[in-house]
Amino acid sequence: MAKPGEKENRTKAGKRIAMAAEVRPRTLRRWLAAYTRSGLKALIDGRVASGRRAGMMCCCAEGEAILYTEVRKYLSPSEPTQTQIWENVRDAFAAENEKRAAENEKRAGENERQGAEIRTLLKVPSQSAVRKAILRLDPYLVTLARKGETAARNRFRPVGQRLAVLRPLERVEMDECKIDLFSILSIAGIHDVFSKEDLARLGLDDTSERWWLSIAICTATRCIVAMKLSRAPSTRCSIETLEMIMTDKGAWSDTAGAMGHWWMAGTPSHIVTDCGSHFLSYEFRAACASLGITCERAPAGMPEFRAENERWFRTLALGLLPRLSGYARSNVVERGDKEPQKEAALTLDELTKVLVRWVVDVYHNTPHAGLDGRCPADVWAESVAEWGVTPPSDLRTRRLVFGTPLSRTVSRTGLQVMGVRYHSEKLARWMLRNGEQAVPVRWYPTDIGAIEVHLDKEWVAVPAVVEDLDGVHAQTWLATVRRMRAHSKSRFEANLPTIRKALHDIRAINDEAMRLSGIAIMDWSEEAVEAEEDRMFIGFSVKETEEPCTTAFDDGLGRCMPTACAAGPVGADDEVEPGGGEVSTDEGPRPGARSGGRRARTWNVRG
């Protein structure tokens, strides 16, 4: 210890020495004389030259070369341990010393009289010296060589400010993941809505399998704005997830029995996805462009550019899935001897209810670290109140963007899709000028009350002749037709009261199942629609019981155009005589026109 009035100093070797608080005159005169003789270098004591001046590891360059040659083998994807590297260094030095010893014996024998130069044997570095050499390697290169580029980037990339996103739906991240949960591939109580072919397309064969979950998350509020289950990633799944962003999901939350309301909906400004083929498809990019949405693809292999999605899947895996039977864990090592396939108990509708309730009631109301401890639902409400949100597209826009593209031939009876006939005044006028031609059609399975037809370089909305189909889902219509045919297999013609009664029953019985099935992906491609038409609607027609309008307009301003069979296509027992449904003039219907047993819609065609 230093005495009072003295400064304590630590030397490099760790010894404590006492330095005088004042310099004596004799010492000062000696320093001045040395400075006069030799300058500043005379004031430097000899302590700087003390200690071992050779290399810390070896006393020669050859030894250090051998050492670092072996140490650099630590930079290997096989990830050798430091002990293994030290053993390699020890063996390399032993081999070099054996070589030198043999050379020394040979030279001593040949030049015994001349005094041959003897090579010094190398000193083997200790294990501690090898470990220090390894620790002096570049940390980034070590992680890059041993763990890979992704691990090195995640560990050493600089972290600055987070994304400057303020408005809800300003930036939405979309991604999909195969969830670690086995469930039974079936839907309880939905066989009246889905046929065996529909269930086969969905993969609902009562086996146990894992589902793919596609989600869309709002970066500003961390709210889940879309969620879809599918057997595998696909273009249809990505498009339906995009559509769900712009849909009020309250029907799903109410059906699942959630206490909260899933009301997060609107048109996003910017969507970020990965480089999956379904996101790169023309259909998905065209849908985004039609809605005015900027679509950006993050670089491949860099999930940090979609960090919110990746973090949410981890939250799902840690917060919900371990609570459910059939949990598969993330890998086979953690799974051990468990067989989650045999433990699967949840069906698709039960899994859907669980996911919806967990998202709406748990996740949206849990404090989030990325939101400074606030809940996503509260942040959404505050952000919407401050910034607002771009409203969802109207029904006609969704029909054009998300509708299934088909091709149908225009005839005097209009157009027919899935057993439903569509007709309008504009379509009738176009038929007068162009005759029977195939035209592009957009058929929207969510609402089959109308279709979009491309006429004269523009899209025209054409309603269904049966007005009761407004707002009806295609699957409900298929269930209605299936039920009617099951009760009267010998008769293919149905009247409007029968259709109304069947639609009411289907909605009352299967409304919950239909909403739950909306989370799962249905195949409404052009091929699927044609297959349903070939299987279900051959010879099927709709008959209206009201009397048709047979009175021609007599105001001198136009002419009356009654359709031949306003309620549906021609059935197996429905013959139309030549000339039926032709355009009538002011004098009345043309000879041969059929007018009995059906209601004819009339339009006063001007000009």
Side-chain angles (χ1 to χ4, degrees), residues 181-187 199-200 202-211 231 340-348 351:
L181 183 76
F182 283 89
S183 61
I184 300 175
L185 305 184
S186 65
I187 302 180
L199 297 176
L202 274 173
L204 303 177
D205 52 2
D206 293 331
T207 60
S208 59
E209 190 54 68
R210 293 163 59 188
W211 287 89
R231 292 300 306 275
Q341 298 93 328
K342 297 181 179 180
E343 299 176 359
L346 296 175
T347 60
L348 175 60
L351 176 60

Side-chain angles (χ1 to χ4, degrees), residues 473-484:
H473 195 282
Q475 202 64 55
T476 304
W477 169 245
L478 288 178
T480 303
V481 175
R482 192 177 298 114
R483 172 170 292 194
M484 289 189 298

